[in-house]
Amino acid sequence: MGTHTPPNEAEVQPGRPSEQAPPPAEGWQGKIVMVNLIDHKGVQQRLGEAFSDLVDAAVHSLAGRAVLPPLRYIWFDFHKECSHMQWSRLSNLLEKLVEDVAGGGWFHQGGEACKFSILRVQKGIVRTNCMDNLDRTNVVQSLIARHVLLQCLEERDSIGRQPSGGNGHTADHRHAAPYTTKAGVGGKNVLDSGIPVLEKAFKAIWGNNADAMSLLYAGSEALKTDFTRTGKRTMAGRCKDLRNSIWRYYVNNFGDGLRQDAIDLMLLNFSPRADRASPFMPKPKQETMSTVLTKIYVLFVVVFALCLVAMDEKLDDVLCLSLQAVMVLVVSTAVHLFRNGSRLGKRMVCHPCLLQET
């Protein structure tokens, strides 16, 4: 990993050409904006520095080629910037992107049936990533998508003079900005278009899509969907995220192995043979949830018997004390496994059985 800390935002410029570099991909010549949302500390910082080095090396190796789209790189520490529910600070990122998004435009095809014509070609893209390209990425992409959607509707004159109530008067949104880039300007939410009907439909569609993708990818609904659905972070949403995170941890360690086996079997990556031993035979020292629960039960019986012999107390008191002692041991062990891992934790993970890593 590189030891230098790359700038949060950099306009990558071509450097010296390399004769060994492969030719770049042909076709796309528009601007590419790369938004990196991972942390500026710990493992994520090392990964971000390596990613920045790869971006620099790739651009420098392609310098002088015929096809080299302009590239802009932004490292935005999502967790730090939005800590303590300061979601309005996402406006800082949007302010950096607004010119690139406006310049990139969008694809527009118009005309009647069988007589379509291309009216506009998209000239830029925004590539967003976090660690798993799921939750933080979904939040930022929803903001960019809303901005582009409003630009599209305004250009098509779909947002013009809209009814403001039952008095017959109208409100002209045609010349109003989709949202302000500074918190509190004009009394508007920086993450809201100011058009309730549009916001309700957009947030519902985006939140449902995020949940559907997350269920396929991570086994649970998406995180931070209270923000994408309502425009604000709530305590109920944080509790839901905690529940989904715990479920993801369980599925990742104890369920994904069987799911991968099912995928390999359906894709014919593995062919069963009668002359071969079953790949589902227990491995040496392999632990399962059933064996762990059995050991906890045996531990409770032993502790209960020792307390019953050593203490001259009522049966109810001995039972309560035994339960407390076992619970302390189990919770302490679980916390240790979650934070640091151990050989026991590795033995408990449900790995794929059909196609094992070599």
Side-chain angles (χ1 to χ4, degrees), residues 334-352:
V335 170
H336 175 74
L337 291 176
F338 182 78
R339 288 185 174 180
N340 306 315
S342 66
R343 287 179 294 179
L344 173 61
K346 293 180 180 179
R347 295 202 303 266
M348 291 177 61
V349 173
C350 179
H351 296 283

Side-chain angles (χ1 to χ4, degrees), residues 79-185:
H79 286 152
K80 179 181 178 180
E81 295 290 338
C82 301
S83 61
H84 306 295
M85 298 189 178
Q86 298 183 76
W87 300 101
S88 61
R89 299 190 67 177
L90 285 171
S91 62
N92 297 333
L93 176 60
L94 289 174
E95 192 173 9
K96 296 177 181 179
L97 296 174
V98 64
E99 292 185 4
D100 295 310
V101 172
W106 58 88
F107 178 81
H108 183 193
Q109 179 176 276
E112 300 178 354
C114 302
K115 295 182 180 179
F116 292 113
S117 60
I118 298 177
L119 305 179
R120 178 192 289 265
V121 177
Q122 184 172 336
K123 301 178 181 179
I125 59 174
V126 180
R127 176 207 174 276
T128 314
N129 76 272
C130 53
M131 285 299 290
D132 55 8
N133 301 327
L134 196 59
D135 302 313
R136 287 172 282 184
T137 297
N138 176 63
V139 170
V140 171
Q141 286 183 339
S142 71
L143 305 181
I144 299 172
R146 179 194 287 107
H147 184 77
V148 176
L149 174 61
L150 289 169
Q151 285 185 323
C152 295
L153 295 176
E154 286 182 344
E155 180 172 290
R156 291 172 60 90
D157 202 26
S158 295
I159 298 180
R161 299 182 64 82
Q162 301 290 343
S164 59
N167 55 6
H169 295 289
T170 59
D172 193 351
H173 297 279
R174 196 174 328 210
H175 303 293
Y179 49 78
T180 57
T181 57
K182 295 294 184 182
V185 174

Side-chain angles (χ1 to χ4, degrees), residues 85 87 226 230 232-242:
M85 298 189 178
W87 300 101
D226 57 326
T230 66
K232 60 182 180 180
R233 204 76 162 98
T234 63
M235 186 56 63
R238 299 187 72 169
C239 293
K240 183 180 178 182
D241 286 354
L242 176 61

Side-chain angles (χ1 to χ4, degrees), residues 191-213:
L191 308 173
D192 196 310
S193 66
I195 307 174
V197 175
L198 177 63
E199 281 298 311
K200 182 178 180 180
F202 176 82
K203 290 174 179 176
I205 293 172
W206 198 274
N208 293 339
N209 179 69
D211 286 340
M213 293 182 62

